[in-house]
Amino acid sequence: MTTPPALLIAGHGTRDDAGAGAFRDFVRELGRRHPELPVAGGFIELSPPPLGDAVAELVERGVRRFAAVPLMLVSAGHAKGDIPAALAREKERHPGISYTYGRPLGPHPALLSVLERRLDEALGGSPRAGRDRAEVTVLLVGRGSTDPDANAEVHKAARLLWEGRGYAGVETAFVSLAAPDVPSGLDRCLKLGARRIVVLPYFLFTGILPDRVRHQTEDWAAAHPEVEVRSADVIGPEPELLDLVLERYREAVEGDLRMNCDSCVYRIALPGFEDKVGLPQQPHFHPDDDAHPHGHGHHHHGGHAHAH
């Protein structure tokens, strides 16, 4: 039987010991769950072990092929440039190895479900939480990047979290490098009429930046006693996250790097759109278009096509 390629998990790195420890624990747990698979993980910067040590560990275990999965929510500079550069360097250091490279994790329905759970926990998890959602405005706070595409992915996650879940709205802010910052995002929620706000960090693990989000939220809330403001927890090492990393691994191994099927209502039962799964698609016209037909092409995946 052919040995499957190993799984290499690439992390950002953090100066926060608890955050780095959470990553290392996550890698160990993934290895425990999949004993048939060599698993190792390392960081691009700031904390040990470096990615190069993780590759060396796999090579020492006899690995010649691996799939690298970035343990990151959005595709920013690390995922687009730093990790591919590091992998190319490791290939030079270890002649004879080969690798494929997977895609970042979000926004994925499994992670949106965890975010929804974090919101319910922040709201007290009461039976009334569902009915109360219409009064709740969520501020989803991303890391922030100089890459507009990465920031746009956080906005996409915010919109997908809003769809079908009944919140008054989901706004977006960033903790560094991009506007609006957390206080400005909270100001925006207030101007939109929010009276109950939950600040939701779009981060995998604890760390300096999620802590900063919480502190800035507390400072803003103290200056605005007329508004109820709560802080939700980070995603954390949930079973959904463990399963998603393995899904990204399998995509990379099988070369099944798809379009935006993770959030396609015709493939995935998204809240409020469950009846659309598997529906055959027909060309359609947008209500504001002129009457003459025009096509933007079709894309097919897994037995359905839909026209845009």
Side-chain angles (χ1 to χ4, degrees):
M1 179 178 166
T2 307
T3 305
L7 168 56
L8 175 69
I9 302 171
H12 272 287
T14 173
R15 290 186 179 88
D16 181 79
D17 289 341
F23 172 92
R24 292 190 288 264
D25 289 345
F26 182 85
V27 172
R28 279 193 291 271
E29 177 61 21
L30 205 52
R32 277 196 293 269
R33 281 178 168 236
H34 301 282
E36 78 288 355
L37 199 62
V39 178
F43 295 103
I44 289 297
E45 60 181 5
L46 300 176
S47 41
L51 198 62
D53 286 7
V55 173
E57 176 194 329
L58 290 173
V59 170
E60 285 169 13
R61 291 163 66 181
V63 167
R64 289 294 173 265
R65 297 183 305 137
F66 62 87
V69 174
L71 198 70
M72 297 167 189
L73 288 166
V74 302
S75 187
H78 280 312
K80 290 179 177 179
D82 296 336
I83 296 173
L87 293 174
R89 185 174 63 242
E90 294 308 314
K91 197 170 188 303
E92 289 181 4
R93 285 180 180 166
H94 304 281
I97 67 169
S98 63
Y99 63 87
T100 53
Y101 184 41
R103 57 182 175 141
L105 304 174
H108 188 282
L111 296 185
L112 295 172
S113 294
V114 179
L115 292 173
E116 184 177 11
R117 196 154 71 234
R118 295 290 176 256
L119 289 170
D120 284 344
E121 291 164 359
L123 291 167
S126 66
R128 286 196 63 228
R131 293 198 298 276
D132 289 348
R133 283 184 179 187
E135 304 166 15
V136 173
T137 299
V138 178
L139 183 65
L140 184 72
V141 182
R143 176 179 294 267
S145 172
T146 55
D147 182 346
D149 180 45
N151 297 330
E153 286 189 35
V154 180
H155 278 265
K156 180 175 182 178
R159 183 70 212 193
L160 286 167
L161 186 63
W162 191 358
E163 292 279 353
R165 288 182 174 83
Y167 302 110
V170 181
E171 295 297 315
T172 310
F174 300 94
V175 73
S176 66
L177 298 174
D181 60 15
V182 174
S184 299
L186 286 163
D187 288 344
R188 176 176 169 80
C189 293
L190 184 60
K191 287 175 183 174
L192 290 170
R195 286 294 171 267
R196 301 185 72 199
I197 303 171
V198 180
V199 177
L200 176 62
Y202 194 45
F203 287 82
L204 293 174
F205 302 128
T206 56
I208 288 172
L209 294 181
D211 286 349
R212 187 180 300 166
V213 173
R214 186 175 288 266
H215 293 148
Q216 291 178 351
T217 298
E218 290 169 353
D219 289 346
W220 189 92
H224 297 82
E226 75 280 12
V227 188
E228 180 188 340
V229 185
R230 300 190 181 197
S231 290
D233 286 333
V234 295
I235 290 169
E238 294 293 286
E240 290 94 336
L241 183 59
L242 289 154
D243 291 343
L244 177 54
V245 170
L246 201 69
E247 183 178 323
R248 291 290 186 251
Y249 161 82
R250 288 179 179 137
E251 286 177 356
V253 169
E254 295 165 9
D256 180 28
L257 299 178
R258 296 171 288 165
M259 297 178 69
N260 62 330
C261 300
D262 284 341
S263 50
C264 171
V265 292
Y266 303 106
R267 286 184 68 99
I268 305 293
L270 295 181
F273 300 90
E274 292 88 350
D275 59 329
K276 290 186 179 291
V277 176
L279 280 184
Q281 297 305 298
Q282 301 297 329
H284 64 275
F285 305 111
H286 293 278
D288 296 327
D289 288 343
D290 295 331
H292 66 276
H294 66 284
H296 296 288
H298 301 254
H299 64 272
H300 300 260
H301 29 204
H304 79 269
H306 48 275
H308 293 293

